[in-house]
Each structure stands twice: as C-alpha cells, then as structure tokens.
C-alpha cells in the first residue's frame, strides 16, 4: 500500500509542474508575470478487486447470449450500475440479424459522464457472450454457450470500475462508456472457410451504433476498446487496425502504461488485425479507436488457449492484469484536458 501511495505521488509529480499556484500574481521580487503553471493531473487508483467483482457479477448471470434470460438480466444490471455512478445512461434496444438468420434482441448500453462537455473520450467493450464454444477441445461443446469471463466479462468489469472512479473524482474531459451487444455471434468455426462472405458477421452492436450513434454528429477525440483483458500474463500487442487508424493513440496509451510499470503487459510488438468492435468505429464514424486485446500467437486462434472454450471462466481472470489495463485507462483519461 505504501508503495502504491509513493507511486501515485511520483506519477502526479512526474506529469504535473510545480504545486498549487495556478493563476496567482507574482509579488515582491518575483518576475513581473506569473509563469502559467499546468494544473496537476490527479489519477485515481484503480481498484482491481472491485473490477474482479464486476466480472464475477456478470458471469453469475450465466451466459449473456442475446435472447437468453441471463442476457436480459445482465443488461438491466449494467444500466442500473452505471446510473448509480451518476452517468446519463441511454440504451439502444434493437433486433439485429445474425449471419445465420438468428434474430438477436440486442441492447447497446451508453453511459455519458459530463454529457455537455464537447471534448470527449470514448471507452468501449462488448458485454454479450458467444453462443458457441466452437474452439473447445471437446467437439461436444461446440454448440454450447460459454461462461464469457474473459471474453465479454473482463472489458466490461474494468469499465464499470472506471465508471465508479469517475463518480468519485470527475475527469476534466467528457467520457462515454459504450457497452456493445452482439459482438460475438460471428461465423461458427465449422464455417470458417466462408470467412470472406461473412467478414461482417461480428460486432453487430458496434455496427449498429456506428451507423446510428446515440447523438447526432456524435464525436469523440478517440476511443479505447477493451476486449479479452483479464487473463494472467496477458500481452497486448499493436493490433493491426489500431495501428493503421490510430497509431498515435496506441503510442499515447502504451507510453502511459510503461510509465506506470506495466510494460510486461503492453508489449512493443505488432499483432494481427482483428475484426472487432473498434473496426466500425474507425471505418464508419471516423473516430480513431484502438483495441486493447490479448495477443497469444501460440494459442489456436491467437487470443489465448481458453478463448471460445468452456474454460473461459473466472479461473482465467487475474486481478493483476485487470489492474494493468484499468490503471492505464485511468492514467490516460485523467491526464486529458
Ligand atoms: C475474430 O475472431 C476475427 N473477430 C472477433 C474478435 C473477438 C471475438 N473478440 C471477442 N470475441
Ligand atoms: Zn469472442
């Protein structure tokens, strides 16, 4: 704990200037005009145990597959949680059509902090979970819904804790937390040879929101998507679309992560391009948006051995990883003005 307090003091000193005397007038033998002093950025301490409990709460609803009872109950939980943190919350309740024809009752959840501020940052994650554990080693599980602790739960858990922090110490910028639905109903592994025809089968909630943002002419300076951010020893690489559309945001976020001691997680390596929610935010809305997503080239599909298997449960959620991601996000947004 003492170490954390010292670290906080260091971080504040490192990015501030000298203390206090913002806008005071020089007197006595001081120079005639006061040198303008940057106000210090106060970065709250991210509580990873709190974030962990938010992941566990989602998992306790069961799989959050659109149309399921757990999905509806979790959607209501997310809205009331975000409202309790003082956000102005909107939902987009729409039926989206999956690539296989399934009709998905979907809900994007949009939580606005400081809504009248024009200078805004977008934070996002998907909250639905995959209907099929189609990467499970046991083929008997290929049509079963998975627990979605890491894939779905982790990004939302981190953002709920960010929301809780925003309720305690307001940021200087406006923040929108957008929780996308229907990200993970994309092409089943058995049909992977049909990728070209189905490349837009993922991220349906993000596609909807990007084409129908909650405000006319919605804009944010940039966006940060969190996806699969909870596994122990996660590694976040420069995801391909993020590097292409938002290389300066990658640089900004990685720099903060390294300053705070998380270079073990935020590695300086290129990853593959992932058709994820941020793709449509970049392509349709033109908001530069990065994807912080686990990158594990040695695993079957590149996102970790448990990805899209029945093993994606709380055993794969690690508070140290949640801390690295959540603290980095807080450091980035509380340094903006
Ligand atoms: C691909 O698998 C190509 N895109 C989806 C990325 C994803 C799945 N994120 C979470 N689940
Ligand atoms: Zn997934």
């Amino acid at each position: 704990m003492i170490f954390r307090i010292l670290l906080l003091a260091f971080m504040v000193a490192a990015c501030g200037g000298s203390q206090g005397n913002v806008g005071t007038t020089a007197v006595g033998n001081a120079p005639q005009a006061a040198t303008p002093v940057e106000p210090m950025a106060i970065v709250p301490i991210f509580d990873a145990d709190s974030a962990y409990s938010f992941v566990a709460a989602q998992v306790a609803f069961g799989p959050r597959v659109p149309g399921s009872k757990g999905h509806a109950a979790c959607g209501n939980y997310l809205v009331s949680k975000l409202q309790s943190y003082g956000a102005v919350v909107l939902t987009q309740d729409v039926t989206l059509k999956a690539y296989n024809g399934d009709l998905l009752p979907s809900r994007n959840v949009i939580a606005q902090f400081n809504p009248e501020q024009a200078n805004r940052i977008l934070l996002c994650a998907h909250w639905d979970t995959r209907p099929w554990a189609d990467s499970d080693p046991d083929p008997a599980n290929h049509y079963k819904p998975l627990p979605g602790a890491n894939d779905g739960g982790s990004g939302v858990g981190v953002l709920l804790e960010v929301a809780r922090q925003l309720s305690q110490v307001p940021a200087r910028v406006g923040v929108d937390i957008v929780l996308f639905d229907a990200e993970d109903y994309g092409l089943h592994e058995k049909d992977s040879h049909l990728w070209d025809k189905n490349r837009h089968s993922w991220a349906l909630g993000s596609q909807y929101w990007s084409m129908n943002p909650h405000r006319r002419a919605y804009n944010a300076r940039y966006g940060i998507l969190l996806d699969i951010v909870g596994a122990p020893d996660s590694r976040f690489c420069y995801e391909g679309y993020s590097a292409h559309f938002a290389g300066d945001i990658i640089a900004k976020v990685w720099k903060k992560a390294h300053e705070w001691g998380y270079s073990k997680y935020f590695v300086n390596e290129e990853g593959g391009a992932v058709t994820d929610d941020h793709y449509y935010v970049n392509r349709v809305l033109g908001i530069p948006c990065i994807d912080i997503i686990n990158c594990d080239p040695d695993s079957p599909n590149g996102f970790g051995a448990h990805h899209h298997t029945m093993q994606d449960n709380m055993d794969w959620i690690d508070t140290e990883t949640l801390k690295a991601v959540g603290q980095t996000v807080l450091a980035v947004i509380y340094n903006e003005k």
Side-chain angles (χ1 to χ4, degrees):
M1 192 61 208
I2 296 209
F3 170 71
R4 285 186 183 187
I5 291 166
L6 287 175
L7 181 65
L8 176 67
F10 169 74
M11 296 311 301
V12 167
C15 50
S18 53
Q19 276 121 317
N21 55 345
V22 183
T24 52
T25 313
V27 288
N29 53 10
Q32 299 88 325
T35 333
V37 175
E38 285 273 294
M40 291 184 295
I42 304 292
V43 179
I45 293 300
F46 185 86
D47 184 339
D49 294 325
S50 171
Y52 183 95
S53 76
F54 293 140
V55 182
Q58 293 169 78
V59 172
F61 286 107
R64 281 82 70 209
V65 175
S68 68
K69 274 176 95 172
H71 176 266
C74 185
N76 292 337
Y77 161 80
L78 297 173
V79 170
S80 63
K81 259 312 192 212
L82 290 162
Q83 282 172 338
S84 79
Y85 297 139
V88 177
V89 181
L90 302 172
T91 64
Q92 295 180 321
D93 292 278
V94 286
T95 302
L96 300 173
K97 194 173 185 170
Y99 79 99
N100 64 356
D102 288 357
L103 293 178
L104 314 179
S106 306
R107 168 179 274 193
N108 290 330
V109 178
I110 300 131
Q112 307 166 92
F113 288 87
N114 202 355
E116 61 290 335
Q117 165 73 263
N119 177 15
R120 311 194 66 73
I121 310 296
L122 167 68
L123 304 176
C124 42
H126 76 89
W127 71 272
D128 63 304
T129 59
R130 186 152 179 78
W132 316 296
D134 51 348
S135 297
D136 199 279
D138 181 355
N141 291 329
H142 285 188
Y143 290 90
K144 289 186 189 159
L146 46 89
N150 200 13
D151 191 359
S154 64
V156 173
V158 168
L159 292 185
L160 288 177
E161 172 59 9
V162 168
R164 195 179 72 82
Q165 296 291 345
L166 285 167
S167 75
Q168 297 187 347
V169 184
R172 290 173 290 191
V173 289
V175 176
D176 297 303
I177 294 180
V178 179
L179 305 180
F180 296 120
D181 203 349
E183 187 278 335
D184 228 346
Y185 219 104
L187 192 66
H188 194 282
E189 279 281 314
K190 76 161 180 3
D191 296 324
S192 54
H193 58 288
L194 300 172
W195 168 261
D196 274 355
K197 192 176 165 289
N198 294 284
R199 41 184 309 187
H200 299 295
S201 63
W202 306 86
L204 301 181
S206 165
Q207 294 188 48
Y208 181 85
W209 179 78
S210 299
M211 288 185 269
N212 308 277
H214 60 284
R215 288 193 173 210
R216 248 173 298 124
Y218 175 76
N219 203 6
R221 280 162 55 193
Y222 60 86
I224 302 175
L225 171 66
L226 306 182
D227 194 11
I228 319 178
V229 292
D233 305 314
S234 289
R235 288 157 49 86
F236 308 117
C237 306
Y238 308 149
E239 181 278 327
Y241 294 119
S242 309
H244 177 78
F245 290 109
D248 53 334
I249 309 307
I250 293 248
K252 181 201 285 269
V253 171
W254 261 242
K255 180 166 186 277
K256 274 280 170 277
H258 292 193
E259 282 172 16
W260 280 78
Y262 302 124
S263 36
K264 172 185 138 195
Y265 295 96
F266 289 79
V267 299
N268 295 315
E269 279 174 43
E270 285 175 24
V274 182
T275 307
D276 207 346
D277 295 314
H278 71 312
Y279 176 78
Y280 300 95
V281 176
N282 281 296
R283 282 306 300 264
V284 178
L285 278 175
I287 296 172
C289 185
I290 66 164
D291 190 5
I292 300 180
I293 184 166
N294 189 37
C295 153
D296 180 357
D298 297 334
S299 68
N301 46 31
F303 304 108
H306 60 292
H307 185 250
H308 292 179
T309 77
M310 298 305 280
Q311 297 311 306
D312 183 4
N313 55 35
M314 289 306 290
D315 295 347
W316 284 96
I317 301 299
D318 181 51
T319 50
E320 261 193 66
T321 308
L322 298 175
K323 171 75 177 174
V325 174
Q327 190 63 68
T328 297
V329 170
L330 288 180
V332 169
I333 63 178
Y334 280 84
N335 271 290
E336 296 293 3
K337 52 182 184 298

